[in-house]
């Protein structure tokens, strides 16, 4: 459903001929009509254009607007903004401290298991029946060596495949000696 705009009754609108005085400034009635929104489109346009360059009329219109009491005071936003800033600060500090605590816990864990060669566990008496278990750093070193060997094998086979592909894409005029020439 579209609402149709109904024009204002003629008696409600202010007469555009009475908008300006002989000196070319807005009349008191014209300013009041502008404030009460009783001007038609042309009158509003002319009044707005005049207010852009006439400081005297702009000062009168501003004084008229300031004299009007607002029916409802504007809300004070300071408490809401302060609460949001406090919440934001709490989140930032909490995130910063949680990540720092996690990093410290991880560093102490790695240090405890000998990853950095620091604090070692107290010496245990070796039991002759049980073989000694390898330490964390030995297990980590073995795992990294295994991964490194697998990666070297993968890269070597990839390099061989690429070289084979380049050889096949080489210029057909440079045929290897072991291939016979095709008849045309």
């Amino acid at each position: 459903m579209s609402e149709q705009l109904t024009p204002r009754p003629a008696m409600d609108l202010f007469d555009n001929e009475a908008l300006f005085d002989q000196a070319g400034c807005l009349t008191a009635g014209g300013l009041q009509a502008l404030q009460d929104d009783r001007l038609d489109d042309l009158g509003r346009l002319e009044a707005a254009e005049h207010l852009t360059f006439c400081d005297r009329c702009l000062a009168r219109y501003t004084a008229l607007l300031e004299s009007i009491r607002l029916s409802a005071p504007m809300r004070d936003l300071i408490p809401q903004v302060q609460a949001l800033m406090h919440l934001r600060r709490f989140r930032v500090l909490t995130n910063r401290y949680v990540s720092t605590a996690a990093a410290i816990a991880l560093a102490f864990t790695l240090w405890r298991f000998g990853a950095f060669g620091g604090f070692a566990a107290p010496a245990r008496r070796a039991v002759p029946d049980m073989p000694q278990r390898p330490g964390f750093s030995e297990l980590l070193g073995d795992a990294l060596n295994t991964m490194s060997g697998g990666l070297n094998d993968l890269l070597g086979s990839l390099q061989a495949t690429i070289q084979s592909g380049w050889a096949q894409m080489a210029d057909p005029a440079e045929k290897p000696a072991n291939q016979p020439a095709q008849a045309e």
Side-chain angles (χ1 to χ4, degrees):
M1 267 190 215
S2 63
E3 295 181 19
Q4 294 198 4
L5 298 175
T6 56
R8 295 183 183 174
M11 62 182 219
D12 200 25
L13 294 177
F14 188 76
D15 183 20
N16 286 346
E17 298 297 324
L19 191 57
F20 295 100
D21 61 10
Q22 291 185 352
C25 286
L26 290 167
T27 61
L31 286 173
Q32 189 65 41
L34 180 63
Q35 189 252 330
D36 293 340
D37 197 26
R38 291 186 299 127
L39 295 175
D40 62 357
D41 292 338
L42 181 62
R44 280 195 300 271
L45 180 65
E46 288 177 346
E49 182 181 1
H50 181 75
L51 288 173
T52 59
F53 66 85
C54 183
D55 293 336
R56 181 176 169 264
C57 290
L58 182 62
R60 288 174 45 219
Y61 184 61
T62 304
L64 178 67
L65 290 178
E66 287 176 355
S67 68
I68 301 170
R69 293 192 132 227
L70 297 174
S71 59
M74 294 179 63
R75 281 186 355 180
D76 188 19
L77 295 177
I78 293 174
Q80 289 176 332
V81 171
Q82 285 177 340
L84 287 174
M85 288 172 57
H86 179 68
L87 179 65
R88 173 72 65 149
R89 185 179 64 221
F90 176 74
R91 285 181 182 166
V92 167
L93 290 176
T94 302
N95 289 342
R96 188 175 297 160
Y97 289 129
V98 166
S99 61
T100 302
I104 290 171
L106 180 63
F108 276 127
T109 302
L110 291 174
W111 184 43
R112 170 69 176 97
F113 287 109
F116 301 126
F119 177 74
R124 296 183 186 160
R125 289 188 312 183
V127 179
D129 300 282
M130 298 181 74
Q132 278 192 332
R133 295 186 305 186
F136 178 75
S137 59
E138 292 172 0
L139 291 174
L140 185 61
D142 291 342
L144 289 175
N145 286 336
T146 303
M147 286 182 4
S148 175
L151 191 58
N152 282 338
D153 292 343
L154 175 69
L155 291 176
S157 66
L158 184 62
Q159 185 178 11
T161 303
I162 291 173
Q163 287 176 349
S164 168
W166 280 112
Q168 290 175 2
M169 292 173 44
D171 189 16
E174 301 174 11
K175 293 189 187 220
N178 61 358
Q179 287 187 354
Q182 293 179 354
E184 294 184 31

